[in-house]
Each structure stands twice: as structure tokens, then as C-alpha cells.
Amino acid sequence: MSDSEEEIQERQLKIVLLGDGASGKTSLAIRFAQEAFGKQYKQTIGLDFFLKRITLPGNLNVTLQVWDIGGQTIGGKMLDKYIYGAQGVLLVYDITNSQSFENLEDWLNMVRKSNEESGTQPAISLIGNKIDLEHVRTVKMEKHQRFCQENGLISQFVSAKTGDSVFLCFQRLAAEIVGVKLNKAEMEQSQHIVKAELVDYPQDEGPIRQESNQSKICSVQ
Ligand SMILES: Nc1nc2c(ncn2[C@@H]2O[C@H](COP(=O)(O)OP(=O)(O)OP(=O)(O)O)[C@@H](O)[C@H]2O)c(=O)[nH]1
């Protein structure tokens, strides 16, 4: 097979990040796509896009089209359009904020409803973010596990700040979508991809809008 034929066969997967404002969706997307983290909170208005190519076991290249959707869009008219057609969803909450966990039911219902007509539901992962703040955790581990079991979700704890398991959570979801199994060694390897640079954004600027071969972002409001 020629290179161009291989490129044509490469799959692009639409992955949507959903969850309450300030749960860390933008931080996860930036950590995954650009290996950076910003301490300052800047609310996402509408949505941002990130593109990143990853290689799954079996040398399978897939490009993840990551839709970072602002937490304030819940109840808005555009939300079901953003979710529509997603093959994967990362449902994010903050382990130190119980309300962000309680609201997951609403986010999940939105996902189910938005894809009702198409007849296919996306693969969904429950992401407990900010595990670097384990000492101030308010959402019990068992609650997280029960929610996963009851709703058939992949379970993952991450920290966008340290990078812990961030690559892994995207990789596991992509693998589930394309039907590839990750073995224990592959999961362990991905878990430890951590590059924890801290970036302080200037007050009036958002996350770094840099382009590289590996990832691209743009914004729609
Ligand atoms: N300690 C810690 N802070 C985090 C982590 N992830 C995000 N934050 C902080 O939490 C705040 C909110 O993060 P964002 O990524 O902007 O949250 P969001 O979910 O995109 O918020 P919306 O745009 O309102 O939907 C920021 O101050 C981040 O620096 C984490 O893993 N650990």
C-alpha cells in the first residue's frame, strides 16, 4: 500500500469533552494536545477544537478531533449540535467538587438525547479530574465506580495539572471506539507520560494558540 492510500484510510474520531465549568476540560485538552498546563481559569465560551494524532496498538494511526465544550453550554440551544455524531465522550468532573459530580446525570442525559435519532450512542468515559488534590477529595471513589457500573462507562482518574493518566484516558477511549485492546503494559506506559510544565497565561489572553505538527486548535463562539 502506498503512503497516500494509508493516509486516506486513517480514521478521524470526534471526541467531546463535557462537564461542569471549571472541572478541567480545557486543561485536559491542552495537556493532551500540547503538553502544557495553565493555572489560571479562563471560561470557555462556546467551544474550542484540538486535533492530535495518536498511534494505537497494531500501528493504527488515528486523529482525535477533540471538542472542548464550555460548561456553561448546558441548557443552551447549541449543545446537542456539538454532541451530535461524537464517537466518544469524556465526561469530566472535579473530585474536589461534589456538585460537578451530581450534575453528571444531566450531562449524560444530554449525550443520550442528542444521539437518540442517529441510533448509535458514543463510547463514554467518566473522568475524575484533579487527583493531585486527593487530600481535599469530596467525591468518594465508590460513588464514581457505581456511576460507571450503572451507566456502562469507562472509568479513569486523571490530573491535568501533573499530566497523570491524561494521555491514557484519550487513548483508552480511542481504543474502545476502534475496537482495539490495550494490554496492561501499554496502559502502564501511557499512564506515566507526564510533562508538567506550568504556564501562567497573561490576564487577557486565553490558552496558548500555538500550532505544531502534532496538534492544532481553533475556536468557535
Ligand atoms: N489542581 C488542579 N487544578 C486543575 C486541574 N485541571 C484544571 N485545573 C484548574 O481548574 C480551573 C478550571 O480549569 P479549566 O480547564 O478552565 O475548566 P473547564 O472545565 O474547561 O471550564 P469551562 O471552560 O468553564 O467549561 C483552572 O484554574 C485550572 O488551572 C488539575 O488536574 N488539578
Side-chain angles (χ1 to χ4, degrees), residues 22-33:
S23 57
K25 300 176 297 297
T26 303
S27 305
L28 287 169
I30 290 176
R31 165 64 70 199
F32 172 61

Side-chain angles (χ1 to χ4, degrees), residues 94-96 130-138 159 161:
D94 171 353
I95 64 156
T96 72
K130 309 196 186 180
I131 53 167
D132 56 287
L133 300 177
E134 186 63 48
H135 54 293
V136 279
R137 169 194 279 275
T138 57
S159 167
K161 182 172 181 180

Side-chain angles (χ1 to χ4, degrees), residues 44 48 61 74 99-100 133-134 176 181-182 191 200 220:
T44 304
D48 282 341
N61 291 321
I74 193 138
Q99 194 58 51
S100 71
L133 300 177
E134 186 63 48
E176 173 79 18
K181 273 227 168 312
L182 296 176
Q191 195 174 1
D200 273 318
V220 172

Side-chain angles (χ1 to χ4, degrees), residues 43 58 66 98 124 144 180 201 214:
Q43 192 182 82
V66 179
S98 303
I124 307 174
H144 171 113
V180 167
Y201 302 132
Q214 290 196 312

Side-chain angles (χ1 to χ4, degrees), residues 37-204:
F37 177 77
K39 271 191 287 186
Q40 207 176 309
Y41 174 41
K42 184 162 188 295
Q43 192 182 82
T44 304
I45 310 292
L47 77 153
D48 282 341
F49 293 105
F50 298 77
L51 276 182
K52 187 169 170 97
R53 189 177 191 230
I54 64 168
T55 304
L56 293 171
N59 250 346
L60 188 65
N61 291 321
V62 289
T63 299
L64 305 193
Q65 200 186 85
V66 179
W67 295 46
D68 168 26
I69 297 180
Q72 309 309 319
T73 53
I74 193 138
K77 280 191 222 141
M78 293 303 287
L79 184 58
D80 58 340
K81 295 182 176 55
Y82 296 158
I83 298 172
Y84 183 80
Q87 285 118 321
V89 173
L90 293 172
L91 210 52
V92 184
Y93 74 96
D94 171 353
I95 64 156
T96 72
N97 178 339
S98 303
Q99 194 58 51
S100 71
F101 183 83
E102 300 305 327
N103 292 341
L104 289 171
E105 198 82 52
D106 292 341
W107 286 106
L108 191 57
N109 287 338
M110 276 306 298
V111 175
R112 306 273 194 235
K113 217 172 90 203
S114 305
N115 292 289
E116 225 163 40
E117 279 176 27
S118 73
T120 48
Q121 291 291 339
I124 307 174
S125 292
L126 182 63
I127 307 296
N129 186 33
K130 309 196 186 180
I131 53 167
D132 56 287
L133 300 177
E134 186 63 48
H135 54 293
V136 279
R137 169 194 279 275
T138 57
V139 180
K140 287 210 171 86
M141 205 79 107
E142 303 83 70
K143 271 187 141 188
H144 171 113
Q145 305 296 9
R146 200 177 322 127
F147 193 78
C148 287
Q149 278 160 11
E150 285 170 0
N151 296 288
L153 314 180
I154 301 166
S155 162
Q156 191 70 59
F157 290 100
V158 303
S159 167
K161 182 172 181 180
T162 65
D164 191 353
S165 301
V166 173
F167 184 80
L168 178 62
C169 80
F170 284 92
Q171 190 192 34
R172 283 183 72 194
L173 187 62
E176 173 79 18
I177 295 166
V178 302
V180 167
K181 273 227 168 312
L182 296 176
N183 62 35
K184 208 167 161 235
E186 283 155 349
M187 299 236 274
E188 272 169 12
Q189 199 186 11
S190 302
Q191 195 174 1
H192 300 299
I193 298 178
V194 174
K195 290 190 185 170
E197 287 158 47
L198 290 181
V199 180
D200 273 318
Y201 302 132
Q203 284 289 352
D204 50 353

